[in-house]
Amino acid sequence: MGFSNRQEADKTVVEVDESRLDASLATPFRDYIFDLIGQGQKDLIVDLSKVDFMDSSGLGAIVAALKQVGGDGAIQLAGPQKSVHDLFDLTCMDKIFKIHGSVDDALSDSSKH
Amino acid sequence: MDVLIVEDARDQRKLLSAVIRRLGHTVHQAEDGVEALAVLTERSEISIVISDWMMPNMDGISLCEAIRDGRFQRYIYFILLTGKTDRDATVKGLSVGADDFLRKPVDYQELEARLKSGARVISLEQSLELKNEQLAKTLTSVESDLESAAKTQESLLAPPAVIQGVGFDWHFQPSQILGGDMFGYHALDDEHVMFYQLDVAGHGIPSALFSFTLNNLLMDMDAHTTMLREQISNPPYYKVRPSEDVVASLNQRFQTTAETMLYFTMIYGVIHTPTGKVRMTHAGHPETLWLRPADGELHPIKDTGLPVGMMPGMSWSFSELTLKKGDRLFMYSDGITECENPTGEQYGDQRLRDALYGGRQMPMKEMIDKVWSELSDWRDCNTFDDDVTYLVLEYQGG
């Protein structure tokens, strides 16, 4: 349960080890990411593969993180399950985030550039 | 402190009383458990009991059990007098809820120490009780505030109406913890009627207040130029703004901060009432379902865009459709499709479509009630985790 992070190449992979990213976890999750950003880790990949439900509050926390890193960082999303992917489709999250099928995809994609 | 001594041997009782009185406590006495209970009932100031084990009528163990059965509102600290270093006695005493033990013959220094520790526990219990009372009071006032906010939310909703041959009706079920759903409709001029539905992310007071603000802005019918109509230099000196521009303006005006995480999904649309032409924009909101009696079908209207307030400088697209007489638009918040049954399964798109399809021939009000009754059956519980809102528009021929 909870959140953890690890370094992969020059990126920080944030793993969300929760099945629901909803109103009850939005604030702790935002605070966790803000701490990482505060420590200077501004190139983040959020691994969502364990999340099978996200609501508007969970989405709000991810967008808050994007606002917090600002122009000198990046947040990418990886491994959304179908229901989370449907939410991303409905809300056009691909317009403001890079969304990858998995963390490996995200890492290999960025090493190409 | 007020201490009750329960002891059948008169000499012992007198002796203990004298010692405890000398330690500065007020002493009460009882000969056995039955009398002790009577004294404790009468004297609510007593908070410590020192009781012998073996007594006629009611022994120390039964007395302790009786005290712990919930008949007293206050916490009573119970010290049991035991004969020897009797392990069984200690175990039995602990199991019925004794707080402490005192061996006979009583060592008076030990007695003083045990009374002090009892007094400490009692004062902790009392401060805890006081805090609980304050919490309960605060909770009551928060709950009543939430209730009045929910009433405000309901009072802001437009009543069902027919405007220029366009019927509007809806169902609104506020969530237990106040949500951020809002909707409305009104004429922009003699041949345009606007309608909107929005859902502010999150729950509670911040979301609700934000939805009130948005409603005030969108329902301001008196202003000559608003976000909904722009001024031009030729007669009639205004132009109804296209839906995608209205959404983009709202987006410029209400940007979420990293702290508040407040943003909203919405539908904004305008219907040209003489022709039935609709232009509408979906901003991260569930699709509108277009019900057409002519072919008996449900058509989803998909022009997805970002929710409003996430990112500045974004643009939105729009859908255009022409309604025929009897066509309906069904707009809803995700509180319906994400509504969980007792086993945690979501209601989902398909069940909603099936319910609507089943009710497509019914008059608007009946269809609305049918959807609600199917959703309530699914939920099987009186409270909802999120606002459940749906707005139905029916083109009655302009």
Side-chain angles (χ1 to χ4, degrees), chain A residues 2-3 18 21-35 61, chain B residues 261:
Chain A
F3 318 114
E18 296 280 353
L21 193 54
D22 58 14
S24 64
L25 283 176
T27 305
F29 180 65
R30 181 196 62 182
D31 293 347
Y32 184 81
I33 299 248
F34 279 21
D35 274 351
Chain B
M261 298 192 279

Side-chain angles (χ1 to χ4, degrees), chain A residues 20 30 53 56 67 90-91, chain B residues 255-256 259 263 310 346:
Chain A
R20 295 173 68 94
R30 181 196 62 182
F53 176 72
S56 61
K67 295 216 156 192
L90 178 68
T91 52
Chain B
Q255 274 297 308
T256 187
E259 289 310 314
Y263 66 90
M310 280 189 173
Q346 295 191 349

